[in-house]
Amino acid sequence: MTEELTPCDLTCPSSPTPGASGPKETGFDQPIFSVLSGGVERRRRPQEEREEEEEEEAETSPAGTTATATADAESGIFSGEFEVCVEHEAELDWFCGTERKLICSHCAIVGPCHGHTVTPLATRVTAVRLAATSAREQVLAQVGAVREALEEEEQRLLEEVQREEERVEQCLLTQRAHWSQALASLTQTRSGLVHTLTHTPDGQLVTSVQEIADRVEEADGVGEPCDTEQLSLTRGCSDSRLLRGLWASAVLLGPNAYGSSSLRFDERTVSPLLSLSDDLYTLTFSPKKSRQLPQYDPARFDRWPNALGSLSVSSGTHSWVVDVGQSGAFKVGVCYASLERKGSGDEARLGQNERSWVLSHYDGDYSFWHAGKKEPLQVARKPQRIGLLVDWTSQTLLFYEADSSAVLHSVTHQFGAPLLPAFAVTDRSITILH
């Protein structure tokens, strides 16, 4: 917060005569002396005399003045004894806004701070206190707004969960009534068939075949389930974009915002269409003429420009950031270790199968891909750094813009195996940051 300083005119029309003292020769008509208490003469008195005068002033000063001085001392702004300028042996009761330090009146008039913007120390203290008060009010206002929004969101989500709970309970009761009715109908049909078979003479059973068939047909389909998909809570009834964003911000702004420093590209998986830096942090798309076929490795992608990371995620919370720079075509995400590595089919293509989840950027568009399904993303500005956050406990994968921590996309999925960071690039380079 910018603080305004009150400029004071400290110009002196004539240089002071060396060795001169007293109010006449120092020019009490200068503006600075209108706000200085006691003048220069008091500054030049011996230290013992000044202390005696201060004691007398303290004894005769009003209670309010004493209370203010006590408050200043307790706040740490003023110490019990005034600091003294080493050069002029005067109290440091002025503040130089140009050099941001305490000075005495002589420093402001004839010293190194001559011509600078200065203010009385008391005025500076008041300004600092006002700024601190304003800052506290701003913090309280922001926290209050967040708290109010969270309370409203909490109430909304609890009501939504309660509605879902009541709906499922009603469906269960309906299902129970259905099965009770089906059981009664089957019991009645069974009893009728048993009675027919045990009480009908053998000669008449031949003519009763149609009656028996009709009863069996009536029972057909009675035991089939009814609306089984309605017997569970709707997925996402407790999902909240606000809570997800706040949770992500709390994790991303913490001490482990960039995740494990051990994350690198796994050189065994790097496609021959890519080149890997010596430090294993940068992946670059290689033109055809400069490609070198690496030694065969079953872990290597041989047809798609893919590479995997060295970090396996199966517990806890992990995050990492990729510098995509000016690359116009890349993918970042996660996949199972069982992802196919060989061939040009969709089973080895990131985002086109059930084993990979990626954010893709191509031809100016951003989208999320999984199982061959594309979900377009609205990105306000082109991100230079994209972060990924995986929370294994909540089974959440989140993509965010690293510079602003703005959430780009999030997905919740029941991951069935450990996840590996997955990457692809067909334009320029991408780099894992730490």
Side-chain angles (χ1 to χ4, degrees), residues 1 3 125-141:
M1 178 177 297
E3 301 168 359
V125 170
T126 302
V128 170
R129 287 175 175 170
L130 291 175
T133 300
S134 177
R136 280 191 291 268
E137 292 175 351
Q138 183 178 3
V139 170
L140 293 175

Side-chain angles (χ1 to χ4, degrees), residues 417-431:
L419 298 173
L420 295 174
F423 312 87
V425 58
T426 56
D427 179 50
R428 305 190 187 187
S429 303
I430 58 176
T431 302

Side-chain angles (χ1 to χ4, degrees), residues 174-190 218-226:
T174 302
Q175 193 81 311
R176 180 179 180 182
H178 166 77
W179 287 112
S180 298
Q181 183 179 359
L183 179 61
S185 178
L186 291 174
T187 301
Q188 183 179 358
T189 300
R190 175 181 176 276
E218 291 177 0
D220 187 26
V222 170
E224 293 182 359
C226 178

Side-chain angles (χ1 to χ4, degrees), residues 38-243:
V40 178
E41 180 180 357
R42 180 185 172 188
R43 303 293 191 271
R44 296 184 176 275
R45 293 174 183 174
Q47 182 68 20
E48 295 81 3
E49 186 177 347
R50 290 205 304 271
E51 292 179 354
E52 293 177 1
E53 182 174 332
E54 289 170 358
E55 292 178 359
E56 293 177 359
E57 291 180 355
E59 293 176 357
T60 59
S61 61
T65 304
T66 304
T68 303
T70 303
D72 290 341
E74 293 177 351
S75 66
I77 297 174
F78 293 116
S79 59
E81 296 181 358
F82 287 105
E83 295 184 4
V84 177
C85 176
V86 177
E87 181 179 355
H88 303 104
E89 295 186 356
E91 294 175 3
L92 300 176
D93 52 2
W94 285 78
F95 178 78
C96 177
T98 305
E99 298 189 9
R100 315 292 295 179
K101 66 178 183 179
L102 293 178
I103 61 174
C104 71
S105 60
H106 296 284
C107 291
I109 299 175
V110 296
C113 293
H114 173 68
H116 293 179
T117 301
V118 300
T119 54
L121 180 57
T123 302
R124 175 65 179 177
V125 170
T126 302
V128 170
R129 287 175 175 170
L130 291 175
T133 300
S134 177
R136 280 191 291 268
E137 292 175 351
Q138 183 178 3
V139 170
L140 293 175
Q142 291 177 343
V143 172
V146 173
R147 183 183 292 111
E148 182 179 356
L150 282 176
E151 290 175 351
E152 293 179 358
E153 187 69 359
E154 177 188 25
Q155 185 64 27
R156 184 188 70 80
L157 291 174
L158 292 178
E159 292 176 355
E160 181 66 22
V161 172
Q162 182 177 358
R163 283 193 295 268
E164 275 296 294
E165 181 183 16
E166 293 174 353
R167 183 191 62 76
V168 173
E169 289 181 353
Q170 185 60 43
C171 289
L172 290 173
L173 292 176
T174 302
Q175 193 81 311
R176 180 179 180 182
H178 166 77
W179 287 112
S180 298
Q181 183 179 359
L183 179 61
S185 178
L186 291 174
T187 301
Q188 183 179 358
T189 300
R190 175 181 176 276
S191 299
L193 290 174
V194 170
H195 183 272
T196 299
L197 293 175
T198 56
H199 293 82
T200 302
D202 294 343
Q204 294 181 5
L205 284 177
V206 179
T207 60
S208 301
V209 172
Q210 186 61 41
E211 179 184 355
I212 295 174
D214 291 341
R215 291 188 177 183
V216 173
E217 185 178 357
E218 291 177 0
D220 187 26
V222 170
E224 293 182 359
C226 178
D227 296 332
T228 55
E229 67 277 3
Q230 300 295 325
L231 300 182
S232 301
L233 290 178
T234 301
R235 185 175 180 179
C237 69
S238 60
D239 185 44
S240 168
R241 183 177 180 181
L242 173 62
L243 292 182

